[in-house]
Amino acid sequence: MGGTARRRTGSDTGPPTPEAAPSPPARRGPVAAALMLGMALAALDSTIISTAIPQIVGDLGGFSVFSWLFSGYLLAVTVSLPVYGKLSDTFGRKPVLLFGIVLFLLGSLLCAGAWDMGSLIAFRVVQGLGGGALQGTVQVIAADLYPLKERPKIQARLSSVWALSSVAGPAIGGLLAGYADWRWIFLINLPVGAVALLLIVRHLHEPAREAVATSRVDWAGALAIFVSGGLLLTALVQGGVAWAWLSAPSLALFAGSAVGMAGTVWIERRAAEPIIPGWVWRRRTISAVNLALGALGLLMIAPTVFLPTYGQSVLGLGPIAAGFVLSAMTLSWPISAALSSRVYNRIGFRRCAITGVSIAALVLLAFPLLPYPGADPGAAWQPALIMLLLGAALGLFQLPLIIWVQSSVRWAERGTATASILFCRLVGQCVGAAVFGAVANATLTGRLEVAPSAIRPGLPDDLDSVSRALEHPGTLTDQAADYLRRAVDTAVEHVYVGSAGAAVLALLILLFLAPRRTPDGPDGEQGAAGATGPEGATGADEQART
């Protein structure tokens, strides 16, 4: 019952012993509201412009490069995450989050004033650089504010905000583009961001940190990460789309990224305070979770990218109805995540995640077993049920892994550790988009090459062309339309089998790489005071009072 802290050794598959008392809920409420607003901003702007592309292209031109409105934003978010994670550990969460919100709002204002497609793409990159700070720092502050027992609730709320914003984004973008002006898509960020800024400034209080005065930022490492990551992600995003995989641009980008990665390793090994410290990969808990969530990024390509195509091209649904099929996953995921604490408190973090990803693999393998529906919108309940079950499984998989990592590090390491998780997941998504896009197009090409000679003339030759042809079936005979639907159905089935393989990969990582028994914390040291003040949570989740 004394005042000393004792390090408890046990299984890191289970939750650590209770941490220090959190800050008063009355002080956390406004900050939590600001975090959810920030998460909504980041989520909305990843999808909101998708349905406004015709209006944007009609106004600004640049049809051949409009895909960079998405790619540029994604690249900026991904490559900036590790930098913001390290900065939040060095200088505190509040200044990094405030900088990210201001930069995001500046990018939004610039996007609203864009005069051509090139300027809009450049300003979307500015938005993405702010979005990287939002995505990473919001998750870290949530972990700082809430003790382990309460953390699933706030994480589930953030997941719900992300899911609802992602689903609502295309509808909001379409409404604004159709009934107002596409520039309002970016202008509506300003009042939302202003409220978040006000709440953070007034209610988020961090104790002064002595380390700031002596900390040195590894700017050379940050630049190396930006360059090497940008080259790699550009090659993955544009390969097979803007140019062939074995073309000179692809080979040059991959070679450049390899050289950049080698340079990054060389710089980081010699830096006093590297952006990506070596302990991120030396600690088995963090490295295993990074790899497992990279596999999750691969896995997510099937439902998020190819299911809407399946709904429209095979089932004959409209874009909104196809989106609702996907939204079944976004309904069950946050609920499952919120309830996951009841599971991992009984069986541990690792076993809870193993259970979730095992179920996810079985659910993904069930998709190819669905009977061919033809153009029957009434059959949409079958893939919707698959997505409902998949969301429930992934809620048991992702959140326990994030909390496991955040609970295994000190306060001063939490930003870097969380950023590494998000970075690996986004890289996995980029790799998955490239790999499964190639799988789908190869399947379609193979099916079209063996099409009956009576319908072969005039058939499209890639997934996008097939989807467009099925949107206007009047240009096809009934036999050709049915053949194309079956080809798309086969291609999506192959993608789902590949996603099930990614789930199995995550399962193997957790079984054989994730530690079964480790100390609850990296070194048993007491963390710095939490984000709401000295009386708040310490962030040393691995400590127990004796």
Side-chain angles (χ1 to χ4, degrees):
M1 306 297 289
T4 59
R6 183 181 63 192
R7 180 181 177 187
R8 180 177 64 87
T9 301
S11 172
D12 76 346
T13 61
T17 50
E19 53 189 297
S23 57
R27 300 187 62 188
R28 296 185 308 189
V31 179
L35 297 182
M36 288 188 281
L37 288 175
M39 186 65 74
L41 285 174
L44 276 173
D45 271 76
S46 64
T47 61
I48 194 170
I49 68 171
S50 59
T51 50
I53 290 299
Q55 289 76 17
I56 294 175
V57 171
D59 189 12
L60 302 179
F63 178 81
S64 61
V65 294
F66 81 84
S67 64
W68 273 99
L69 294 176
F70 304 94
S71 301
Y73 182 87
L74 176 64
L75 290 173
V77 169
T78 304
V79 299
S80 64
L81 272 168
V83 178
Y84 287 127
K86 179 62 177 179
L87 292 178
S88 72
D89 284 340
T90 303
F91 299 106
R93 326 300 193 203
K94 184 175 182 177
V96 173
L97 181 57
L98 291 177
F99 174 81
I101 295 175
V102 170
L103 186 59
F104 185 89
L105 296 182
L106 174 62
S108 299
L109 186 61
L110 292 172
C111 286
W115 55 89
D116 58 23
M117 186 60 74
S119 63
L120 183 57
I121 291 171
F123 299 148
R124 281 283 286 174
V125 172
V126 175
Q127 258 195 324
L129 292 175
L134 285 173
Q135 288 195 32
T137 314
V138 162
Q139 296 277 1
V140 180
I141 294 176
D144 291 342
L145 285 174
Y146 289 84
L148 187 62
K149 290 183 178 180
E150 298 181 52
R151 202 167 295 157
K153 295 180 181 179
I154 184 62
Q155 293 286 2
R157 291 174 191 168
L158 294 175
S159 298
S160 300
V161 169
W162 183 275
L164 293 174
S165 299
S166 299
V167 173
I172 295 173
L175 288 173
L176 290 174
Y179 295 98
D181 187 276
W182 63 266
R183 298 179 190 274
W184 281 100
I185 289 173
F186 304 104
L187 291 175
I188 62 171
N189 291 334
L190 301 181
V192 177
V195 174
L197 269 177
L198 179 63
L199 292 173
I200 292 295
V201 169
R202 294 188 61 181
H203 297 285
L204 180 61
H205 304 292
E206 293 184 304
R209 304 190 65 221
E210 296 180 0
V212 174
T214 59
S215 294
R216 290 180 294 173
V217 178
D218 177 23
W219 295 115
L223 179 61
I225 292 170
F226 267 89
V227 172
S228 57
L231 291 174
L232 175 62
L233 294 176
T234 301
L236 292 172
V237 170
Q238 296 298 109
V241 179
W243 47 70
W245 282 110
L246 297 179
S247 64
S250 278
L251 296 177
L253 286 169
F254 280 119
S257 65
V259 173
M261 289 177 188
T264 301
V265 172
W266 186 85
I267 292 171
E268 294 294 86
R269 291 184 66 179
R270 287 157 177 79
E273 296 183 17
I275 295 295
I276 303 180
W279 56 260
V280 169
W281 295 105
R282 286 195 297 268
R283 296 181 191 173
R284 288 181 61 192
T285 297
I286 302 175
S287 59
V289 170
N290 283 345
L291 293 174
L293 291 186
L296 173 65
L298 282 168
L299 179 159
M300 288 301 299
I301 294 301
T304 57
V305 175
F306 289 94
L307 184 64
T309 298
Y310 175 88
Q312 294 180 66
S313 299
V314 178
L315 297 177
L317 300 172
I320 296 177
F324 277 118
V325 173
L326 175 60
S327 69
M329 180 177 67
T330 66
L331 295 176
S332 58
W333 191 326
I335 296 173
S336 174
L339 298 175
S340 64
S341 62
R342 300 188 179 186
V343 180
Y344 68 65
N345 278 325
R346 289 180 176 273
I347 65 175
F349 291 126
R350 176 175 170 271
R351 291 174 182 170
C352 180
I354 286 173
T355 301
V357 78
S358 300
I359 297 172
L362 295 176
V363 170
L364 289 165
L365 285 174
F367 186 90
L369 301 179
L370 296 178
Y372 171 67
D376 179 15
W381 69 269
Q382 296 174 333
L385 178 60
I386 293 288
M387 291 302 98
L388 192 71
L389 296 174
L390 181 62
L394 295 180
L396 293 176
F397 170 62
Q398 178 182 256
L399 184 58
L401 293 181
I402 293 175
I403 296 178
W404 187 13
V405 166
Q406 291 178 336
S407 301
S408 71
V409 297
R410 303 190 310 274
W411 186 94
E413 299 172 332
R414 189 175 286 158
T416 299
T418 303
S420 72
I421 294 172
L422 300 177
F423 176 79
C424 289
R425 189 179 66 188
L426 286 173
V427 171
Q429 289 176 353
C430 293
V431 173
V435 170
F436 293 139
V439 169
N441 280 316
T443 300
L444 275 175
T445 300
R447 296 282 293 175
L448 295 174
E449 287 177 352
V450 298
S453 56
I455 63 172
R456 189 177 303 171
L459 286 180
D461 56 2
D462 59 58
L463 185 61
D464 289 337
S465 300
V466 169
S467 298
R468 286 194 294 269
L470 289 173
E471 288 178 4
H472 307 283
T475 61
L476 301 169
T477 64
D478 291 343
Q479 184 181 9
D482 183 70
Y483 188 85
L484 288 181
R485 288 191 186 93
R486 290 181 181 274
V488 173
D489 179 66
T490 301
V492 176
E493 287 178 353
H494 288 179
V495 170
Y496 267 80
V497 171
S499 288
V504 172
L505 175 61
L507 175 62
L508 294 176
I509 290 168
L510 294 176
L511 286 174
F512 298 107
L513 296 183
R516 295 177 180 175
R517 297 185 65 84
T518 64
D520 291 326
D523 50 19
E525 294 181 7
Q526 184 75 9
T532 56
E535 76 280 6
T538 65
D541 296 342
E542 68 276 8
Q543 299 286 329
R545 291 184 177 179
T546 58

